[in-house]
Amino acid sequence: MAPRDTFKKLEDDKQLRIMDAAIDEFADHGFKQASVNRMVQKIGIAKGSIFQYFGNKEGLFHFIFNHAVELVRHSLRQVKQETADTDFFQRIEQSLLAGIRFIEKHPRVYRIYLKMIFQEDFPLRTEFLQQVHLFSGEYLKPLVETGLARGELRPDLNVDMTVFFLDALMDRFLQAYCVSFLDAGAGLYQAPEEQIQQKVNEFIRLLRAGMGKPEGEFGQLLRE
Amino acid sequence: MAPRDTFKKLEDDKQLRIMDAAIDEFADHGFKQASVNRMVQKIGIAKGSIFQYFGNKEGLFHFIFNHAVELVRHSLRQVKQETADTDFFQRIEQSLLAGIRFIEKHPRVYRIYLKMIFQEDFPLRTEFLQQVHLFSGEYLKPLVETGLARGELRPDLNVDMTVFFLDALMDRFLQAYCVSFLDAGAGLYQAPEEQIQQKVNEFIRLLRAGMGKPEGEFGQLLRE
Amino acid sequence: MAPRDTFKKLEDDKQLRIMDAAIDEFADHGFKQASVNRMVQKIGIAKGSIFQYFGNKEGLFHFIFNHAVELVRHSLRQVKQETADTDFFQRIEQSLLAGIRFIEKHPRVYRIYLKMIFQEDFPLRTEFLQQVHLFSGEYLKPLVETGLARGELRPDLNVDMTVFFLDALMDRFLQAYCVSFLDAGAGLYQAPEEQIQQKVNEFIRLLRAGMGKPEGEFGQLLRE
Amino acid sequence: MAPRDTFKKLEDDKQLRIMDAAIDEFADHGFKQASVNRMVQKIGIAKGSIFQYFGNKEGLFHFIFNHAVELVRHSLRQVKQETADTDFFQRIEQSLLAGIRFIEKHPRVYRIYLKMIFQEDFPLRTEFLQQVHLFSGEYLKPLVETGLARGELRPDLNVDMTVFFLDALMDRFLQAYCVSFLDAGAGLYQAPEEQIQQKVNEFIRLLRAGMGKPEGEFGQLLRE
DNA sequence: GATGAATGAGTTTTCATTCAT
DNA sequence: TATGAATGAAAACTCATTCAT
């Protein structure tokens, strides 16, 4: 599960090369189809070494997985802090943008995430899905509750369902972005970078229209 | 790619048993992990026969794939016809419900679809993604254009972006449904059947709030 | 456990070559140390074939094991029948000689037997030891009981302990013979073939002296 | 073959821990299956150290082997001395009991012995069997000769064959005891401790009947 | 002298594909 | 046309041994 001391004692460069090759392999092939043979060949070390470091293939995956979770946690914590004082829709916008930046910085990690969602035979799949689920609860729910308390959201919104919708919409937005980013050249959506901000804007505008508090007393009246 | 004549000349029952076993196997294990051995054992035919009918494993997958695309096309064509006279949001609602019915009827086909999206090593992945893209163009674009022409949608909507949004939202809605449907018991979202219609309603309400034509002149005024 | 049909359908010669190589390998190296690699190389077939025939290494061993048990059973049944009319000590003598003939004919099978007794990690070891135990009960006990009933044995003998002794003595006699036979050249005991019958005679003479009914009334008196 | 000086210079405790772990491992797994990895892990020393002390796995085994032989020699010498004044059958009885005590005290050493007898790929097997053979010559032969000289044995006994018989019977007796001792619970023979002495008595009684000098002149006459 | 990371040949097992029957 | 036995490359994993520190 945790890498053996052996691995942690390696020179940093070697550690990084190993992690890099592993992330590559898992991102390209998922867990079962990933080949330790290919990894060690790419890294240029003996086959036995990987097993000395991580016990077995699953141990290696655990390590990469935990590393990825840490990356995501770090990124989310940062956004939450930095946007504490802005309004609900700005926070969502910044979260989306942070997600996009994360994918651009760690596209292979995101690919592993996507594979895990829809591939049944990952070792940590259940724990993983619970973690993802917790994200909605821990991250989005407070945002929604604060937004409601501050009067930035329509007061008739059901909290849990709103969280579900936000989770679904944001996740799918990033999926769509990621697919177009990763498949660049495959012709799908052909989303050029410059249109991203525009799409984010439109996304937020729709959210605001659907969830935001009606502006002014007329809006209020109309909805009642 | 296409099955050889030898396959088409088989008795219908045998054809169906072969397709059924193949869908099972691909849905459970993806392409590479799918085992021709297991298939022929389940079907009860000789291993060589599969290769006689389809050339190789990839040929078999092509066939199953095309069959699945046909199923989807058929389902969509039906919805489009039946809802021709209803308004935009009702058509979207009916499309969503048709999607849910499709997943419930063909869960294994949908699982193959999900696997294909995020697994790079499917043989037809590129062609597949293009097909999926075409779906947005062929299916949703006319709906949006008709909706705009009939004045059921806000006139300031950009057609292509609206199509993108609808595609993203509906697809993600079905994914969420499917995951909760397939992972029943895994604890994710735990969407009980009876809440589906409620979620669809809420989904449509949000869409209507965000995309629908503002009601009355006051709404109109407020937005300008 | 049982060999797949595939194996039984092979030409007899091939079946025999495979069994021969397997017996060789298991006799030389025991179960765990036996190498399927070496077997297939010696036989000259593809590695996969063995696994097609027997599922896995253990399956192959089961097959060889059952084959060996059958050989032993057959041999014992024959001796029992052929010596039904002779006296107790002649039956034991013939059993010993049959054992020697068996070892000379199937020395590798006997080696597998010896390995199984003292090697803990054989797959069927427990079942095997039970079988061996049954041998004492099924084969020797009736002999002893008949011997007692016919007055060929001292009437004060405890049946079970006598069976235990006979089992131990005969087994060890064959072990000693086998070791000297198999290790020919290693210098141990250096039992030349021509001395075997002499040793058997001495063995029987001792048994007779220890277990046989004292001859005449004087002997009877002396013991009382 | 002999341990390097480096080993002998270690603190006694460390030497003992190493030997203990090695005996454990060889007794449990034989030679080839024994894992140096497991040993060093249990001992808590570096893997390289074993190779520094003993050159290689075989060197380690040589050392353990010689140690075991010394243990056996010591035990036998003691019995021989202590029973110098008793009669032949009492000496045999005491030897058997000493053997049983040895197995109870060093069961792992005895297991290694048993494994070596029937496993061809032990490094020292040939030398080992010669040593065992010497045991018969060095230990039993004088006993028999003394017994004959003292008139405790039938004068018509052939010395070498009697030695062979005693060796075989006693060895097999201990094997049977050991198997029932080691396999406690496996159901073989199920010899409970309290029956051991009884079996030894019966064993000696049979020996005495077969090999002992007939009592009185009548017996003498009867046999002639 | 002690360490333990690195090595690579070895193990069993799987499976798509071929081809003689 | 249908069969299914044969193939061999590839997989994950083990472990005695070496050697730089």
Side-chain angles (χ1 to χ4, degrees):
Chain A
M1 200 166 299
R4 308 237 167 104
D5 285 351
T6 318
F7 178 73
K8 291 183 178 164
K9 284 176 190 159
L10 295 178
E11 352 164 10
D12 286 1
D13 173 60
K14 200 171 186 178
Q15 285 189 38
L16 288 178
R17 276 190 302 128
I18 291 172
M19 290 173 63
D20 193 64
I23 292 174
D24 256 10
E25 188 70 17
F26 287 129
D28 283 353
H29 302 282
F31 175 74
K32 264 209 172 171
Q33 280 299 315
S35 159
V36 176
N37 273 12
R38 274 194 298 257
M39 288 187 214
V40 297
Q41 199 169 12
K42 180 186 284 182
I43 305 170
I45 60 173
K47 204 188 304 191
S49 296
I50 286 289
F51 293 91
Q52 196 139 48
Y53 302 151
F54 302 100
N56 54 25
K57 190 173 151 184
E58 193 166 326
L60 170 58
F61 182 74
H62 280 219
F63 176 64
I64 296 297
F65 174 77
N66 289 329
H67 171 73
V69 167
E70 216 37 63
L71 283 180
V72 174
R73 279 235 178 80
H74 176 75
S75 168
L76 286 177
R77 233 180 286 130
Q78 216 170 4
V79 177
K80 205 162 190 174
Q81 273 186 331
E82 289 173 5
T83 63
D85 301 329
T86 61
D87 94 330
F88 176 80
F89 296 102
Q90 284 171 316
R91 295 183 90 172
I92 294 295
E93 180 177 358
Q94 290 308 312
S95 300
L96 262 190
L97 291 170
I100 288 171
R101 281 196 304 273
F102 185 89
I103 293 173
E104 282 171 342
K105 199 170 170 188
H106 307 289
R108 297 167 312 167
V109 168
Y110 191 68
R111 277 230 298 268
I112 294 176
Y113 156 78
L114 292 179
K115 276 194 202 303
M116 283 189 81
I117 291 182
F118 299 110
Q119 203 150 348
E120 277 82 25
D121 48 9
F122 270 92
L124 290 170
R125 197 169 176 260
T126 307
E127 296 88 321
F128 165 70
L129 291 178
Q130 285 169 346
Q131 293 242 20
V132 168
H133 186 45
L134 277 178
F135 159 80
S136 309
E138 289 184 6
Y139 185 79
L140 288 178
K141 203 166 181 178
L143 252 66
V144 170
E145 288 169 339
T146 306
L148 280 167
R150 289 185 187 162
E152 295 158 4
L153 292 172
R154 274 171 34 202
D156 60 334
L157 286 178
N158 171 286
V159 172
D160 286 331
M161 199 160 303
T162 306
V163 166
F164 170 84
F165 264 77
L166 284 170
D167 180 29
L169 288 170
M170 293 171 70
D171 189 31
R172 188 53 180 77
F173 188 89
L174 291 177
Q175 277 183 28
Y177 172 69
C178 179
V179 169
S180 76
F181 179 72
L182 298 175
D183 281 348
L188 190 67
Y189 295 137
Q190 294 140 327
E193 297 260 347
E194 64 266 22
Q195 290 187 3
I196 292 298
Q197 182 60 49
Q198 186 185 344
K199 288 200 168 165
V200 171
N201 289 344
E202 178 72 6
F203 185 94
I204 297 297
R205 193 165 70 87
L206 269 175
L207 272 195
R208 205 182 280 276
M211 296 177 173
K213 189 170 185 174
E215 316 80 355
E217 41 187 327
F218 288 114
Q220 193 76 22
L221 286 171
L222 282 169
R223 300 211 179 256
E224 281 166 359
Chain B
M1 198 164 302
R4 307 232 171 108
D5 282 350
T6 42
F7 177 73
K8 291 183 177 167
K9 283 176 187 160
L10 296 176
E11 5 167 359
D12 285 1
D13 173 61
K14 200 171 185 180
Q15 286 189 36
L16 287 178
R17 275 189 302 125
I18 291 172
M19 292 172 61
D20 193 64
I23 291 174
D24 256 10
E25 189 67 20
F26 287 127
D28 284 351
H29 301 95
F31 177 72
K32 267 213 171 171
Q33 283 290 321
S35 158
V36 177
N37 270 12
R38 275 192 297 258
M39 289 188 214
V40 296
Q41 200 171 12
K42 181 186 284 183
I43 306 170
I45 60 171
K47 206 193 303 194
S49 297
I50 289 289
F51 292 87
Q52 197 121 49
Y53 302 151
F54 303 100
N56 54 21
K57 194 168 142 183
E58 191 167 326
L60 169 58
F61 182 74
H62 280 222
F63 176 65
I64 295 299
F65 171 77
N66 290 327
H67 170 73
V69 167
E70 214 37 62
L71 281 181
V72 175
R73 279 238 177 80
H74 176 75
S75 168
L76 287 176
R77 232 179 286 131
Q78 216 170 4
V79 178
K80 207 164 189 172
Q81 272 186 333
E82 291 172 4
T83 62
D85 301 328
T86 61
D87 94 330
F88 176 79
F89 295 102
Q90 284 173 316
R91 296 184 90 173
I92 294 296
E93 180 177 356
Q94 288 311 311
S95 301
L96 262 189
L97 291 171
I100 289 171
R101 281 195 303 273
F102 186 89
I103 294 174
E104 282 171 342
K105 197 170 172 189
H106 307 289
R108 299 168 309 167
V109 169
Y110 192 68
R111 277 233 297 272
I112 294 176
Y113 158 78
L114 292 178
K115 278 192 201 301
M116 283 191 80
I117 291 182
F118 300 112
Q119 201 147 352
E120 275 77 25
D121 48 11
F122 269 92
L124 288 170
R125 197 169 175 263
T126 307
E127 295 88 323
F128 163 70
L129 291 177
Q130 284 170 346
Q131 294 245 20
V132 168
H133 185 45
L134 277 178
F135 157 80
S136 308
E138 287 183 7
Y139 184 78
L140 288 178
K141 204 166 182 178
L143 251 64
V144 169
E145 286 169 341
T146 304
L148 279 167
R150 290 184 187 162
E152 297 157 4
L153 292 171
R154 275 171 33 206
D156 61 334
L157 287 179
N158 169 286
V159 172
D160 285 332
M161 196 159 304
T162 305
V163 166
F164 169 85
F165 262 77
L166 284 170
D167 179 29
L169 287 170
M170 292 170 72
D171 187 31
R172 185 57 177 74
F173 187 90
L174 290 177
Q175 277 182 27
Y177 171 69
C178 178
V179 170
S180 74
F181 179 71
L182 299 176
D183 280 349
L188 190 68
Y189 296 135
Q190 295 141 324
E193 298 261 347
E194 64 268 21
Q195 291 187 3
I196 292 296
Q197 183 61 48
Q198 186 186 345
K199 288 203 168 163
V200 171
N201 290 343
E202 179 73 4
F203 185 93
I204 297 297
R205 192 166 70 88
L206 270 175
L207 271 195
R208 206 183 279 276
M211 297 178 171
K213 189 170 185 174
E215 316 79 355
E217 40 188 330
F218 287 115
Q220 192 77 22
L221 285 171
L222 281 169
R223 297 204 182 261
E224 281 164 1
Chain C
M1 198 166 302
R4 307 235 169 108
D5 285 350
T6 318
F7 178 73
K8 290 182 178 166
K9 285 178 190 157
L10 295 179
E11 353 165 9
D12 286 0
D13 173 61
K14 199 172 188 179
Q15 285 189 37
L16 288 177
R17 276 190 301 127
I18 290 171
M19 290 174 63
D20 193 65
I23 292 174
D24 257 10
E25 188 68 19
F26 287 129
D28 284 352
H29 301 282
F31 176 73
K32 263 208 173 171
Q33 280 298 315
S35 159
V36 177
N37 272 11
R38 274 193 298 258
M39 288 187 213
V40 296
Q41 199 169 13
K42 179 185 284 181
I43 307 170
I45 60 173
K47 207 186 302 194
S49 296
I50 287 289
F51 293 90
Q52 197 139 46
Y53 302 151
F54 302 101
N56 56 22
K57 189 173 151 183
E58 193 166 324
L60 170 57
F61 182 74
H62 279 221
F63 177 64
I64 296 297
F65 174 78
N66 289 329
H67 171 74
V69 167
E70 216 37 63
L71 283 180
V72 174
R73 278 234 179 83
H74 176 75
S75 169
L76 286 176
R77 233 179 287 132
Q78 217 170 4
V79 178
K80 206 163 190 173
Q81 274 186 331
E82 291 173 3
T83 64
D85 302 327
T86 61
D87 94 330
F88 177 79
F89 295 102
Q90 284 172 316
R91 295 183 91 172
I92 295 295
E93 180 176 355
Q94 289 310 312
S95 301
L96 262 189
L97 291 171
I100 288 170
R101 281 196 304 273
F102 185 88
I103 294 174
E104 282 171 343
K105 199 170 172 189
H106 309 289
R108 298 167 310 168
V109 169
Y110 191 67
R111 277 230 299 268
I112 294 176
Y113 156 78
L114 292 178
K115 277 195 201 303
M116 284 190 81
I117 290 182
F118 299 111
Q119 203 149 349
E120 277 81 25
D121 48 10
F122 269 91
L124 289 171
R125 198 171 175 258
T126 307
E127 295 89 321
F128 165 70
L129 292 178
Q130 285 170 346
Q131 294 241 19
V132 169
H133 187 45
L134 277 178
F135 159 80
S136 308
E138 289 184 4
Y139 185 78
L140 288 178
K141 203 167 182 177
L143 253 64
V144 170
E145 287 168 340
T146 304
L148 280 168
R150 290 186 188 161
E152 297 158 2
L153 292 172
R154 275 171 34 204
D156 61 331
L157 287 178
N158 172 285
V159 172
D160 285 332
M161 198 158 303
T162 305
V163 166
F164 169 84
F165 264 76
L166 284 170
D167 180 28
L169 288 170
M170 293 171 72
D171 188 31
R172 185 56 178 75
F173 187 90
L174 292 177
Q175 276 182 28
Y177 172 69
C178 178
V179 170
S180 76
F181 178 73
L182 298 176
D183 281 348
L188 190 68
Y189 297 135
Q190 294 139 328
E193 296 260 348
E194 63 266 22
Q195 291 187 1
I196 292 297
Q197 182 61 49
Q198 186 186 344
K199 288 200 169 167
V200 171
N201 290 343
E202 179 73 4
F203 185 94
I204 296 299
R205 193 166 68 90
L206 270 175
L207 273 195
R208 206 182 280 272
M211 297 178 171
K213 189 173 186 174
E215 315 81 354
E217 40 188 326
F218 287 112
Q220 192 74 23
L221 287 171
L222 283 168
R223 299 210 181 256
E224 280 166 359
Chain D
M1 199 164 302
R4 307 232 170 107
D5 284 350
T6 42
F7 177 72
K8 292 182 176 167
K9 284 178 187 160
L10 295 177
E11 5 169 358
D12 285 1
D13 173 60
K14 200 172 186 179
Q15 286 188 36
L16 287 177
R17 276 190 300 126
I18 290 172
M19 291 171 61
D20 193 65
I23 292 174
D24 255 10
E25 189 69 19
F26 287 127
D28 283 352
H29 301 95
F31 176 73
K32 267 213 170 169
Q33 282 291 319
S35 159
V36 177
N37 270 11
R38 276 192 297 257
M39 288 187 212
V40 297
Q41 199 171 11
K42 181 186 285 183
I43 306 169
I45 61 171
K47 206 191 308 192
S49 297
I50 289 289
F51 290 88
Q52 198 119 49
Y53 302 151
F54 303 100
N56 54 21
K57 193 169 141 184
E58 191 168 325
L60 170 58
F61 182 74
H62 281 221
F63 177 64
I64 295 299
F65 172 76
N66 289 328
H67 169 74
V69 167
E70 216 38 63
L71 282 181
V72 174
R73 279 237 177 80
H74 176 75
S75 169
L76 286 177
R77 234 180 285 131
Q78 218 171 2
V79 179
K80 206 164 190 173
Q81 274 187 332
E82 291 173 3
T83 63
D85 301 329
T86 60
D87 94 331
F88 176 79
F89 295 102
Q90 284 171 316
R91 296 182 91 172
I92 295 295
E93 180 177 356
Q94 290 309 312
S95 301
L96 263 189
L97 292 170
I100 288 171
R101 282 196 304 271
F102 185 89
I103 294 175
E104 282 171 343
K105 197 171 173 188
H106 307 288
R108 300 169 309 168
V109 169
Y110 192 68
R111 276 233 296 272
I112 295 176
Y113 158 77
L114 290 178
K115 279 192 201 302
M116 282 190 81
I117 291 182
F118 301 111
Q119 201 146 353
E120 277 75 26
D121 48 10
F122 269 92
L124 288 170
R125 198 171 175 262
T126 306
E127 297 88 321
F128 163 71
L129 291 178
Q130 285 170 346
Q131 294 244 19
V132 168
H133 185 44
L134 278 178
F135 156 80
S136 308
E138 289 183 6
Y139 183 79
L140 289 179
K141 204 167 181 178
L143 253 65
V144 170
E145 286 168 339
T146 305
L148 279 168
R150 290 185 187 162
E152 295 157 6
L153 292 172
R154 273 171 34 203
D156 61 332
L157 286 178
N158 171 285
V159 173
D160 285 333
M161 197 160 302
T162 305
V163 167
F164 169 85
F165 262 76
L166 285 170
D167 179 29
L169 288 170
M170 293 170 72
D171 188 30
R172 186 57 178 74
F173 188 91
L174 291 177
Q175 277 182 27
Y177 173 68
C178 179
V179 169
S180 76
F181 179 72
L182 298 176
D183 279 350
L188 191 66
Y189 295 137
Q190 295 143 323
E193 296 260 348
E194 63 267 20
Q195 292 186 1
I196 292 297
Q197 183 61 49
Q198 185 186 346
K199 288 201 169 166
V200 170
N201 292 343
E202 180 74 5
F203 185 92
I204 297 297
R205 191 166 70 90
L206 270 174
L207 271 195
R208 207 182 279 272
M211 297 178 171
K213 190 174 184 173
E215 315 81 356
E217 43 188 326
F218 287 114
Q220 193 76 22
L221 286 171
L222 282 168
R223 297 206 182 260
E224 281 167 358

